[in-house]
Amino acid sequence: EVQMVEFGGGLVQPGGSLRLSCAASGFTFSSYGMSWYRQAPGKEREYVAAISGNAGTTNYADSVKGRFTISRDNAKNTVFLQMNNLKPEDTAVYYCRTSSGFWGQGTQVTVSS
């Protein structure tokens, strides 16, 4: 019953921006923290950012601090990842995850000239 659908991936130039969205259903969204992970070609899936259920706290991987911002709109059951100053090494499939361990399907982000 838990479902998360991601939107917003695409192709951008280095230095550009994208905003990813993850629309959730099948659970009480505001009761759970949410996270973003990513997996680049040939690499393990890695943690990117997290936000608490009430949006009171956030956390970021060192590689994205100062460039990415995680946020959520509990009225819309949606978590966002604003990505600025994108680098080629940010190229990956990005996944949202609930604190209870459910994953979205992923959305491709490609940063290239």
Side-chain angles (χ1 to χ4, degrees), residues 30-49:
S30 62
S31 296
Y32 293 89
M34 297 291 293
S35 300
W36 288 95
Y37 285 71
R38 67 187 182 187
Q39 188 165 22
K43 301 183 72 176
E44 298 294 325
R45 191 171 297 187
E46 66 176 352
Y47 168 80
V48 175

Side-chain angles (χ1 to χ4, degrees), residues 1 6 10 13 23 27 33 35-36 43 47 57 60 63 66 69 74 80 85 99 105 107 109:
E1 184 176 343
E6 300 175 0
Q13 294 183 336
F27 63 100
S35 300
W36 288 95
K43 301 183 72 176
Y47 168 80
T57 59
Y60 299 91
S63 58
T69 303
N74 286 345
F80 305 96
N85 301 316
S99 58
Q105 85 289 348
T107 185
V109 172

